[in-house]
């Protein structure tokens, strides 16, 4: 628990970060930047779990445990996405969304 | 707690054993005999499927994190049969393209790992197990979608799938964190007692729902479906539309009917709108597709809309009809994808136009395709009719007459485009029809299982009664 900082402030911060991530996911034109935006979204929920655990329900460690698993899964996700991006880069020589896309409606 | 109680995880343990055995086989078997791994994997998984039907008692493990009952056990068996059929159908493709690149074992390991995640997902007793299961089931599929590294579309399908899946699970996690904030626990049992309607709970629920709606491709979250199905190898498109969607629909039903039951008056209205949007958009987009994989993708979106009809009821009848419908849908869609795969393996053709005159050259294949499409559309003698009929009956018994009417309108639209394919195969002569070819033994077996399922599931009524009886656990 951080002295002088209430849970409202931290949750507001994570909500803002979350929507920055969603905005980045929609507007970015580069696969790596999209991946970074997704990481931002995942990490806001990590902070959320830790903060809610610490401030509201400090008797059990459910939130802390959950956040550890999110971090591990996020790492796996990033590794896989980067592997696929490298594959695409070898094939097309670019990581821009516009260059990658061949299938449209 | 003695070791015997771990036998509740029999499905998971035996599948994990198969994965480990395959890794050992990959190391031990010399390069020139690598193709025998295919037969080994099929044999092992066949045994696993057969053993899976032995009865299992109802219990839970790890303080309620893992639970199992007769319905979950039955559905795991259905998933097993589905994956086994899928492996039989894709054996030919694997042998031709992947075994000589020494990548066949990876395919099996990734596919089985994903299935293992699905087992954990549908047996989950808390949100942590649910989340881990969902991720284990999603990540290997992304790798599999990008599996054909020589094809550019495959990589594109993989990156589209992994990025949208990561976004969906991120949104879902944010929602779960809000449910945790209002309830103070991530266990389903605890949440059920404390859940009340408040703004934070509702926001959490909607965000959590978005993550699962992505998995079964409901309409605002369906954009990835067609592209991924088209770009990925057919076996993986089939896996995504059949196994992955079936498991996600099943766990969503369990969650809505047990944990989130206190919010029922809210999610009823939400599902009402989503069901209408999903059915209409799926069907209308399917009308203008030329590529068979895209066509089946939109048709599977529309089928997800029909499944939502069963969710609306919240009763034992609703549970039974959803499980029954999903089981039939698994067999019908596997048959359709199986035929597409058989033709694509032999000729590389995937467009509807190439199917013209198929009946004259390959009558048996086109008959299988016809049965599958009739079952998807819901035409009386085959199983799909009974699935849809029970689903609509369940929805109508709760008073959703307008929704059932709209669903029937959608069945009519879907009949039109399913008949387009049948017309191409049976009526049109075609300038350059696909020449006759003989399928391999495995492919024949795979198609035979689906045909048997399509015919038997509708006629053999004790099965529905059995499903109705086991679905009492949720209510």
């Amino acid at each position: 628990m951080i002295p002088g900082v209430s849970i409202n402030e931290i949750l507001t911060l994570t909500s803002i970060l979350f929507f920055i991530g969603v905005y980045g996911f929609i507007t970015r034109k580069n696969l790596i930047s999209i991946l970074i935006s997704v990481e931002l979204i995942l990490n806001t929920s990590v902070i959320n779990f830790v903060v809610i655990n610490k401030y509201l329900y400090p008797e059990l460690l459910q939130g802390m445990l959950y956040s550890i698993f999110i971090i591990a899964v996020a790492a796996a996700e990033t590794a896989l996405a980067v592997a696929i991006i490298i594959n695409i880069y070898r094939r097309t020589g670019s990581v821009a969304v516009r260059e990658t896309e061949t299938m449209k409606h | 707690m003695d070791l015997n109680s771990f036998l509740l995880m029999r499905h998971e343990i035996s599948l994990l054993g198969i994965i480990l055995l395959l890794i050992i086989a990959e190391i031990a078997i010399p390069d020139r005999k690598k193709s025998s791994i295919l037969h080994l994997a099929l044999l092992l998984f066949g045994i696993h499927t057969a053993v899976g039907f032995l009865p299992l008692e109802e219990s839970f493990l790890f303080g309620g994190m893992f639970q199992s009952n007769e319905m979950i056990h039955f559905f795991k068996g259905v998933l097993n049969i589905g994956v086994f059929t899928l492996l039989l159908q894709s054996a030919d493709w694997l042998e031709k393209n992947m075994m000589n690149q020494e990548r066949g074992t990876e395919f099996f390991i990734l596919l089985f790992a994903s299935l293992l995640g699905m087992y954990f997902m549908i047996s989950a007793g808390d949100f942590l197990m649910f989340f881990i299961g969902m991720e284990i089931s999603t990540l290997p599929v992304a790798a599999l979608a990008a599996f054909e590294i020589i094809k550019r579309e495959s990589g594109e399908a993989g990156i589209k799938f992994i990025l949208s899946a990561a976004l969906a699970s991120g949104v879902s996690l944010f929602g779960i964190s809000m449910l945790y904030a209002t309830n103070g626990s991530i266990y389903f049992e605890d949440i059920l007692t404390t859940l009340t309607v408040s703004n934070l709970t509702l926001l959490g629920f909607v965000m959590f729902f978005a993550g699962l709606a992505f998995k079964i491709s409901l309409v605002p979250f369906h954009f990835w479906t067609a592209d991924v199905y088209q770009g990925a190898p057919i076996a993986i498109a089939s896996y995504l539309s059949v196994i992955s969607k079936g498991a996600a629909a099943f766990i969503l039903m369990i969650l809505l009917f047990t944990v989130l039951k206190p919010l029922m008056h809210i999610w009823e209205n939400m599902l009402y709108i989503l069901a209408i949007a999903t059915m209409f958009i799926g069907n209308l987009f399917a009308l203008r597709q030329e590529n068979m994989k895209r066509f089946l993708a939109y048709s599977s979106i529309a089928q997800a809309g029909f499944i939502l009809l069963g969710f609306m009821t919240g009763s034992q009848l609703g549970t039974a009809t959803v499980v029954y419908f999903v089981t039939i849908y698994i067999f019908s869609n596997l048959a359709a994808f199986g035929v597409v795969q058989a033709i694509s393996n032999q000729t590389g053709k995937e467009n509807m136009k190439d199917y013209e005159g198929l009946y004259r050259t390959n009558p048996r294949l086109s008959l299988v395709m016809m049965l599958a499409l009739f079952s998807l559309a819901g035409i009386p003698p085959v199983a799909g009719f009974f699935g849809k009929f029970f689903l609509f009956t369940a929805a109508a018994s709760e008073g959703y007459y307008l929704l059932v009417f709209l669903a029937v309108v959608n069945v009519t639209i879907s009949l039109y485009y399913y008949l387009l394919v049948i017309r191409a195969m049976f009526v049109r002569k075609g300038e350059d029809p696909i020449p006759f070819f003989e399928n391999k033994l495995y492919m024949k077996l795979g198609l035979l299982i689906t045909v048997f399922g399509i015919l038997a599931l509708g006629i053999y009524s004790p099965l529905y009664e059995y499903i109705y009886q086991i679905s009492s656990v949720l209510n």
Side-chain angles (χ1 to χ4, degrees):
Chain A
M1 213 179 296
I2 314 167
V5 182
S6 74
I7 184 167
N8 290 344
E9 286 151 16
I10 304 179
L11 288 189
T12 313
L13 173 77
T14 56
S15 303
I16 292 171
L17 279 176
F18 176 81
F19 285 108
I20 291 174
V22 174
Y23 177 78
F25 185 85
I26 296 169
T27 54
R28 287 282 146 178
K29 297 274 183 278
N30 183 308
L31 289 175
I32 303 282
S33 325
I34 294 177
L35 192 59
I36 294 172
S37 310
V38 170
E39 285 303 302
L40 198 59
I41 293 171
L42 287 169
N43 283 328
T44 53
S45 11
V46 173
I47 303 178
N48 253 8
F49 271 109
V50 173
V51 166
I52 290 165
N53 194 171
K54 194 77 187 162
Y55 277 79
L56 298 177
Y57 310 105
E59 64 279 359
L60 285 172
L61 283 180
Q62 290 179 348
M64 303 279 182
L65 262 173
Y66 210 121
S67 55
I68 291 172
F69 278 99
I70 299 174
I71 293 168
V73 166
E77 229 158 30
T78 318
L80 186 54
V82 168
I84 298 176
I85 290 174
I86 289 174
N87 228 329
I88 289 177
Y89 182 74
R90 286 214 187 115
R91 204 125 302 283
T92 63
S94 161
V95 289
V97 174
R98 199 179 293 272
E99 311 275 316
T100 316
E101 200 166 47
T102 55
M103 290 178 285
K104 291 248 169 73
H105 297 288
Chain B
M1 189 170 171
D2 61 324
L3 275 177
N4 266 341
S5 58
F6 281 109
L7 278 181
L8 192 66
M9 302 169 68
R10 199 181 61 208
H11 281 282
E12 288 78 4
I13 293 171
S14 114
L15 193 59
L16 193 64
I18 293 178
I19 294 174
L20 293 177
L21 270 179
L22 284 179
I23 294 176
I24 294 171
E26 164 78 16
I27 300 169
I29 294 177
D31 272 349
R32 59 199 161 72
K33 286 185 183 165
K34 269 284 151 59
S35 60
S36 57
I37 286 182
L38 179 77
H39 309 291
L40 178 71
L42 276 171
L43 178 72
L44 287 175
F45 197 78
I47 296 170
H48 167 74
T49 309
V51 171
F53 278 103
L54 296 176
L56 200 66
E57 82 268 30
E58 177 175 350
S59 182
F60 61 87
L61 279 177
F62 309 123
M65 275 183 90
F66 183 94
Q67 56 183 14
S68 188
N69 53 41
E70 214 177 335
M71 194 172 75
I72 291 174
H73 182 59
F74 169 78
F75 200 74
K76 280 178 187 169
V78 173
L79 289 184
N80 279 340
I81 296 181
V83 172
F84 184 60
T85 317
L86 184 90
L87 288 180
L88 286 175
Q89 289 176 354
S90 51
D92 194 20
W93 169 75
L94 276 173
E95 199 160 22
K96 243 191 222 163
N97 299 308
M98 292 301 146
M99 284 303 176
N100 49 17
Q101 294 175 32
E102 296 174 13
R103 299 174 62 223
T105 324
E106 285 170 40
F107 178 89
F108 287 114
I109 292 171
L110 287 171
L111 198 72
F112 290 160
S114 167
L115 183 64
L116 187 68
M118 255 154 226
Y119 288 164
F120 280 117
M121 183 169 80
I122 62 180
S123 292
D126 76 339
F127 276 118
L128 181 57
M129 185 63 104
F130 167 77
F131 168 69
I132 296 169
M134 193 168 86
E135 291 301 316
I136 299 178
S137 71
T138 311
L139 294 184
V141 181
L144 285 171
F147 206 59
E148 285 182 292
I149 40 177
I150 40 170
K151 272 170 70 183
R152 179 176 163 166
E153 287 85 12
S154 190
E156 188 188 335
I159 196 70
K160 271 180 177 162
F161 184 70
I162 183 85
L163 286 179
S164 18
L167 177 70
S169 63
V171 173
S172 191
L173 275 176
F174 205 75
I176 294 174
S177 78
M178 286 169 180
L179 288 177
Y180 175 53
T182 51
N183 295 295
S185 175
I186 52 174
Y187 285 87
F188 292 162
E189 274 182 9
D190 301 342
I191 292 178
L192 184 61
T193 54
T194 54
L195 194 69
T196 47
V197 178
S198 69
N199 290 342
L200 195 61
T201 317
L202 284 185
L203 186 61
F205 163 65
V206 170
M207 288 180 126
F208 165 68
F209 183 82
L212 264 176
F214 163 84
K215 289 277 285 183
I216 56 176
S217 58
L218 297 181
V219 147
F221 318 101
H222 71 289
F223 293 105
W224 60 278
T225 319
D227 288 354
V228 172
Y229 283 21
Q230 190 189 350
I234 302 179
I236 303 312
S238 174
Y239 182 82
L240 272 173
S241 87
V242 174
I243 312 294
S244 174
K245 180 175 282 192
F250 185 75
I251 182 68
L252 181 60
M253 181 185 72
I254 293 182
L255 289 178
L256 287 179
F257 286 13
T258 56
V259 193
L260 302 166
K261 191 88 170 181
L263 302 178
M264 181 157 173
H265 56 286
I266 312 262
W267 57 251
E268 261 179 347
N269 299 330
M270 196 172 88
L271 289 186
Y272 198 101
I273 298 165
L274 284 182
I276 294 174
T278 309
M279 287 187 295
F280 271 105
I281 292 182
N283 277 326
L284 293 180
F285 273 89
L287 284 177
R288 50 186 281 255
Q289 299 306 324
E290 281 296 313
N291 184 299
M292 281 306 284
K293 277 150 92 183
R294 279 187 95 84
F295 167 81
L296 284 172
Y298 280 108
S299 115
S300 83
I301 293 176
Q303 301 283 337
F306 291 123
I307 298 176
L308 284 191
L309 248 70
F311 289 174
M312 314 268 302
T313 60
S315 62
Q316 186 183 356
L317 184 63
T319 318
T321 50
V322 168
V323 174
Y324 186 59
F325 183 82
V326 170
T327 311
I328 292 169
Y329 165 78
I330 285 177
F331 281 101
S332 326
N333 229 13
L334 270 177
F337 270 107
V339 174
V340 173
Q341 183 160 27
I343 291 173
S344 169
N345 274 347
Q346 295 289 335
T347 60
K349 292 179 179 171
E350 283 173 3
N351 283 332
M352 205 186 285
K353 205 166 258 162
D354 305 326
Y355 284 47
E356 286 177 357
L358 188 70
Y359 178 66
R360 276 157 233 277
T361 51
N362 293 290
R364 271 179 297 178
L365 261 189
S366 41
L367 277 177
V368 175
M369 189 69 165
M370 188 190 76
L371 271 181
L373 294 178
F374 275 1
S375 182
L376 284 172
I379 289 183
V382 284
F385 167 74
F386 298 99
K388 280 222 173 72
F389 179 69
F390 289 146
L391 210 58
F392 292 172
T393 315
S397 67
E398 297 287 316
Y400 293 110
Y401 297 117
L402 180 65
L403 189 65
V404 172
F405 172 72
L406 288 174
V408 173
V409 170
N410 271 292
V411 171
T412 321
I413 303 174
S414 72
L415 194 59
Y416 172 69
Y417 61 75
Y418 288 131
L419 285 178
L420 277 185
V421 181
I422 293 175
R423 184 186 67 164
M425 289 188 308
F426 286 85
V427 183
R428 291 279 177 88
K429 290 232 169 62
E431 291 162 8
D432 179 26
I434 295 163
F436 176 78
F437 60 86
E438 188 79 13
N439 276 313
K440 294 272 169 58
L441 176 67
Y442 282 145
M443 177 61 102
K444 274 184 186 161
L445 261 179
L447 291 176
L448 210 62
I449 293 176
T450 59
V451 168
F452 177 74
I454 290 173
L455 292 175
L457 281 175
I459 297 164
Y460 187 64
S461 62
L463 187 89
Y464 176 74
E465 279 155 26
Y466 173 69
I467 292 176
Y468 186 78
Q469 179 217 327
I470 58 176
S471 57
S472 61
V473 286
L474 282 193
N475 295 281

